[in-house]
Amino acid sequence: MKQLDTDVAIVGAGLVGSTTALALRQRGVQVVMLERDLGGSRASGVNFGGVRRQGRSAAQLHLAQRAHPIWADLKARIGIDGEYLQSGHIKLARSQADLAALAAYAERVADFGLGLEILEGRAFRERYPCFGPEIIGGSLCPGDGQANPRLVAAAYARAARQAGCEVIERCLVTGITREGDGFLLRCGDAVTVRARRLVNAAGAWGAEIAAALGDDIPLRVDYPTILVTEPLPPIVSVNIGIEGGGFYGRQVERGNLVMGGGFGVATGDGASRPDSGALPRIGSRAAAILPALRHARVIRIWAGIEGYTADKSPFIGESAAVPGLFHGFGFSGGGFQIAPAVGEVLCELICDGRSSTPVEAFRPDRFQQQPVATRKKP
């Protein structure tokens, strides 16, 4: 049996786990990272790849703004640019009510300097002739972009390993117990890890890891569906979302359209597949929004796995029930862009006890906190 002793153990070598590991190693902290599969092979590696700030809550925009310059600096940080492209992101409107909602959002987040531009009428149609007649306008965030999740997540894990983190893959954690002020993790009979601090970056399995230590955190697991078309001539230059949700898309440099919307089904043991209606559902929406896709061929379709919270915001911070346990999961399909900042924040919380970025809104115990109005008077 391999026995390790370390300052920090991280469960999950996806993007959040790997960015945290890299940040900790850059502070000289010993780190062991355990991954049940291969680093970045789950939600971090099979998501849509949108590097988007627009549409996030004000609370999340603090993280998004911290992450924004990191994406343009990926090559210096992890050795590759991850096919990052500052293509812009447009959130589309199908009605005047949608446009009003987009304008109201732009006003609410104006202090963050996203540079949102509301487009409609002739100006919208002349700028984006690719969209079908049901689309009447949209909100453009020119600084947002896209990247290849399969490249980025794996590269962060490699960078963490090269910085001195011990990464053990295909190592399912089968037991976690407190040992003094620290933690003892077991991976069957193969590996034991003693750690003074523990980071739970286990994604869809985050609630299970928390529950093993008596920390009850509500999480819904679901399976976002993505499909890819054959390479096509240039159709759309910006990432696409739609007010109210239900569809998103982007065209990569090779010409393929990557699109998603809706959820697949579990097939057991953490695996998943698209549901039977995924192809016509996403295909019909795509053809209505981008008529040039009406006869495009789909060459690949899959369903990932992700943890969702009731308020669509992640759990970030130290557990109130288990001192020394730090959570970073529950990103609800929106973790790709903010993950590099989340890793830095978790590193600060572990090393300094506080972060320069406000994360109070993401307290892991926020659903257990009793509303002030219902508290009993002393």
Side-chain angles (χ1 to χ4, degrees):
M1 174 179 285
K2 188 173 187 177
Q3 297 180 329
L4 299 168
D5 190 290
T6 187
D7 294 326
V8 177
I10 298 175
V11 179
L15 201 46
V16 170
S18 296
T19 56
T20 305
L22 180 59
L24 287 168
R25 284 303 305 144
Q26 289 170 340
R27 296 277 295 262
V29 178
Q30 289 183 319
V31 184
V32 174
M33 187 158 58
L34 305 173
E35 167 59 43
R36 59 181 291 151
D37 298 305
L38 297 174
S41 63
R42 292 292 184 161
S44 296
V46 299
N47 65 74
F48 169 62
V51 183
R52 170 188 60 80
R53 294 168 296 167
Q54 178 171 212
R56 295 183 183 275
S57 66
Q60 287 199 26
L61 281 174
H62 293 287
L63 285 167
Q65 290 294 74
R66 179 166 179 169
H68 184 59
I70 297 176
W71 284 96
D73 193 40
L74 279 186
K75 191 162 187 177
R77 292 169 180 255
I78 60 173
I80 64 167
D81 65 9
E83 296 182 0
Y84 171 68
L85 177 66
Q86 198 172 72
S87 58
H89 170 267
I90 190 165
K91 198 162 192 179
L92 299 171
R94 290 173 288 196
S95 67
Q96 288 299 325
D98 287 350
L99 277 174
L102 293 172
Y105 173 80
E107 186 174 345
R108 283 199 307 276
V109 302
D111 289 346
F112 287 93
L114 301 183
L116 299 179
E117 183 180 358
I118 304 297
L119 301 168
E120 59 181 314
R122 178 180 294 180
F124 170 75
R125 197 62 64 188
E126 288 179 352
R127 191 161 177 179
Y128 296 109
C130 56
F131 294 118
E134 76 170 44
I135 305 299
I136 66 167
S139 172
L140 174 67
C141 183
D144 283 354
Q146 59 178 283
N148 188 330
R150 289 189 176 277
L151 299 179
V152 175
Y156 258 107
R158 282 197 303 274
R161 179 182 277 123
Q162 290 167 359
C165 171
E166 179 145 4
V167 183
I168 306 177
E169 297 176 309
R170 300 195 187 285
C171 185
L172 176 66
V173 174
T174 55
I176 309 176
T177 55
R178 292 306 303 255
E179 190 176 75
D181 293 335
F183 301 88
L184 175 64
L185 294 88
R186 296 183 181 277
C187 300
D189 296 327
V191 178
T192 63
V193 180
R194 286 182 169 81
R196 284 160 282 288
R197 298 288 183 271
L198 175 62
V199 175
N200 175 11
W205 294 269
E208 294 180 24
I209 295 296
L213 289 162
D215 198 4
D216 182 21
I217 296 182
L219 189 74
R220 174 177 65 87
V221 176
D222 221 325
Y223 313 94
T225 300
I226 310 285
L227 63 78
V228 178
T229 72
E230 62 185 324
L232 297 166
I235 295 173
V236 60
S237 60
V238 294
N239 288 6
I240 303 167
I242 194 156
E243 175 63 17
F247 179 82
Y248 41 88
R250 64 186 177 97
Q251 187 168 25
V252 304
E253 190 175 357
R254 292 176 291 277
N256 312 80
L257 265 290
V258 184
M259 302 177 289
F263 300 98
V265 295
T267 56
D269 196 27
S272 57
R273 63 169 173 76
D275 68 287
S276 59
L279 195 56
R281 181 179 65 243
I282 300 174
S284 62
R285 290 174 185 167
I289 293 168
L290 293 166
L293 295 180
R294 280 179 183 152
H295 303 293
R297 288 183 295 179
V298 172
I299 61 172
R300 189 169 169 233
I301 183 169
W302 69 89
I305 183 169
E306 174 68 293
Y308 292 80
T309 66
D311 60 5
K312 299 183 180 178
S313 282
F315 299 113
I316 301 172
E318 187 172 13
S319 165
V322 187
L325 170 62
F326 293 81
H327 295 302
F329 67 95
F331 289 89
S332 306
F336 188 55
Q337 192 271 344
I338 60 176
V342 174
E344 293 183 353
V345 165
L346 285 170
C347 173
E348 290 172 348
L349 293 175
I350 292 168
C351 295
D352 308 327
R354 60 186 295 276
S355 173
S356 57
T357 299
V359 291
E360 179 70 16
F362 313 124
R363 287 177 59 101
D365 66 340
R366 64 183 181 273
F367 294 118
Q368 283 80 45
Q369 290 178 307
Q370 195 175 19
V372 173
T374 63
R375 289 177 188 160
K376 295 180 180 178
K377 294 181 179 179

